[in-house]
Amino acid sequence: MTVPSPARVALNDQIDAAIGDATHQVDQMQLLSSGSSVSEDPWLNDQIAALRRAVETGTVRCCEHLATGPAVAYAALWRPGALACPQCLDTLEPDPGEDHICDRCNRHTPEIDTAVIRLGFVLVTFGACPPCARALGAPEIA
Ligand SMILES: [Zn+2]
Ligand SMILES: [Zn+2]
């Protein structure tokens, strides 16, 4: 979809505002998640830190719908630095090859489940083998 230049500029302003809001939200997430069993996992902490850096530095890629303000957004750990609204979730679909690799331990197994952890308004999804999903305390959604 092509957007005329003036609209593009306005959209960028909105995205900047959304990123500002998201940054604030991510700060809250860090506070909310500290002390929980989830945040004690070094791998997950690294992933969250990377996502947070992407938001803070403005390198996060988000769909235009998220420009309207903080809303439920999905982040997929197999697509670092990307956020999508529920409508654009298919843009985060893993490639067929990635579908069978655990994002946490990199093990190749047919038993990958999509696990999701809620951090503030961001639902962080990732592929996890059963032991990793259990280790993270993440509910598995088939
Ligand atoms: Zn969207
Ligand atoms: Zn694993």
Side-chain angles (χ1 to χ4, degrees):
M1 188 171 69
T2 47
V3 181
S5 298
R8 168 81 60 190
V9 169
L11 184 63
N12 285 343
D13 285 348
Q14 287 184 316
I15 290 172
D16 282 348
I19 288 171
D21 287 342
T23 304
H24 179 68
Q25 296 272 4
V26 172
D27 282 339
Q28 304 251 324
M29 282 176 216
Q30 290 289 310
L31 292 173
L32 288 172
S33 63
S34 67
S36 79
S37 60
V38 163
S39 70
E40 283 163 21
D41 185 78
W43 171 79
L44 190 60
N45 270 341
D46 284 352
Q47 305 305 309
I48 294 167
L51 184 62
R52 188 184 182 194
R53 266 198 307 278
V55 170
E56 284 175 350
T57 59
T59 58
V60 71
R61 298 183 305 280
C62 59
C63 72
E64 61 193 82
H65 305 112
L66 294 176
T68 54
V72 174
Y74 288 85
L77 296 186
W78 55 81
R79 281 287 144 72
L83 290 175
C85 77
Q87 284 167 268
C88 299
L89 201 49
D90 58 348
T91 64
L92 298 178
E93 282 287 306
D95 295 334
E98 294 170 341
D99 227 358
H100 295 291
I101 298 172
C102 176
D103 286 320
R104 182 166 178 265
C105 68
N106 287 322
R107 197 155 65 96
H108 199 281
T109 162
E111 292 183 88
I112 295 297
D113 285 310
T114 301
V116 60
I117 288 176
R118 197 176 76 87
L119 294 165
F121 76 118
V122 178
L123 295 167
V124 180
T125 61
F126 52 95
C129 65
C132 286
R134 274 196 299 277
L136 293 167
E140 295 162 27
I141 54 171

